[in-house]
Amino acid sequence: DADVTQTPRNRITKTGKRIMLECSQTKGHDRMYWYRQDPGLGLRLIYYSFDVKDINKGEISDGYSVSRQAQAKFSLSLESAIPNQTALYFCAKRGQLENQPQHFGDGTRLSIL
Amino acid sequence: KQEVTQIPAALSVPEGENLVLNCSFTDSAIYNLQWFRQDPGKGLTSLLLIQSSQREQTSGRLNASLDKSSGRSTLYIAASQPGDSATYLCAVGTGFQKLVFGTGTRLLVSP
């Protein structure tokens, strides 16, 4: 979805490094989400936010932190990366109404050596 | 805990066939169900969203049905085309507008 932009698209880094993945969206939607996708496991929710300063843990938040600096920006950080955090990471957004779908960015492929 | 299962994991069909992808979920207390398409190296594209009060949604050659009581949804693709080749993901909307995903069905449509 062109309305959700993730940077970088690919990242290779070493164990123990701090990493930040960025997500920005247009159209001012409130709800933003971070997921990771692993082969055979589907997408799993890491964190989600309903507004600036609102942060909620998802299914697999350990080892991650997030920051909702503005309505349009939602960043995911790995404070000390480990190899099992190698995955495809997606950011998503949606509006307030229940009948609105989530829209996803193109993902960040993260490899931790 | 909500669990979502998609069968089959992979499907290969010749062009022109009608096909059905299946999704089942364990907890019928859902807000909605969403079908996505994922192409290699790309993000997820929303195809259809069915509210919990609805039975089906249609968009072009796609039709999605929902049976909450039995915990099932199907995605019907009519007259399949090679461009339909992708992974199809089913996701159930739970409380606080969170989605629980299945592991997907990888579809290959051969010319």
Side-chain angles (χ1 to χ4, degrees):
Chain A
D1 187 317
D3 293 337
V4 182
T5 302
Q6 292 186 236
T7 56
R9 292 295 316 279
N10 294 280
R11 177 81 184 270
I12 300 174
T13 191
K14 295 181 178 179
T15 298
K17 292 291 188 181
R18 184 179 187 276
I19 302 158
M20 179 179 287
L21 308 183
E22 306 271 7
C23 176
S24 62
Q25 52 120 340
T26 58
K27 300 190 177 178
H29 285 160
D30 294 336
R31 276 65 169 161
M32 296 189 76
Y33 307 80
W34 274 105
Y35 295 88
R36 68 176 277 177
Q37 185 177 33
D38 299 274
L41 291 178
L43 278 80
R44 292 178 293 167
L45 182 63
I46 306 173
Y47 273 97
Y48 60 104
S49 169
F50 286 173
D51 205 343
V52 176
K53 306 254 174 116
D54 175 70
I55 303 294
N56 304 281
K57 291 183 177 180
E59 180 186 353
I60 52 163
S61 58
D62 287 349
Y64 302 94
S65 63
V66 291
S67 173
R68 185 83 183 266
Q69 309 95 319
Q71 185 87 352
K73 296 185 183 296
F74 192 36
S75 303
L76 176 71
S77 294
L78 288 69
E79 295 301 326
S80 180
I82 56 177
N84 74 2
Q85 291 177 313
T86 293
L88 186 55
Y89 289 85
F90 287 105
C91 176
K93 62 147 190 183
R94 61 159 278 179
Q96 291 186 2
L97 301 179
E98 285 294 340
N99 64 353
Q100 293 174 309
Q102 288 191 19
H103 293 281
F104 284 73
D106 284 342
T108 295
R109 186 167 297 279
L110 178 62
S111 297
I112 300 164
L113 307 177
Chain B
K1 178 186 174 185
Q2 179 74 266
E3 293 182 359
V4 181
T5 304
Q6 291 187 248
I7 295 173
L11 182 62
S12 183
V13 299
E15 181 177 7
E17 273 204 8
N18 302 324
L19 57 98
V20 174
L21 307 181
N22 296 294
C23 172
S24 62
F25 47 95
T26 55
D27 187 347
S28 62
I30 66 170
Y31 286 84
N32 52 47
L33 187 142
Q34 198 167 350
W35 282 94
F36 293 90
R37 168 188 174 133
Q38 184 176 21
D39 294 284
K42 301 289 285 182
L44 280 65
T45 300
S46 178
L47 298 174
L48 291 164
L49 182 147
I50 311 175
Q51 297 297 334
S52 62
S53 59
Q54 297 175 321
R55 298 283 293 185
E56 65 178 343
Q57 281 285 337
T58 298
S59 176
R61 294 182 294 108
L62 305 180
N63 176 276
S65 68
L66 174 63
D67 184 343
K68 265 196 352 175
S69 61
S70 67
R72 293 180 183 177
S73 176
T74 61
L75 179 66
Y76 175 82
I77 303 176
S80 58
Q81 303 170 358
D84 294 330
S85 298
T87 297
Y88 290 81
L89 296 166
C90 162
V92 169
T94 64
F96 300 103
Q97 300 162 17
K98 297 183 288 184
L99 292 177
V100 178
F101 281 83
T103 53
T105 294
R106 189 167 59 252
L107 174 65
L108 177 63
V109 181
S110 304

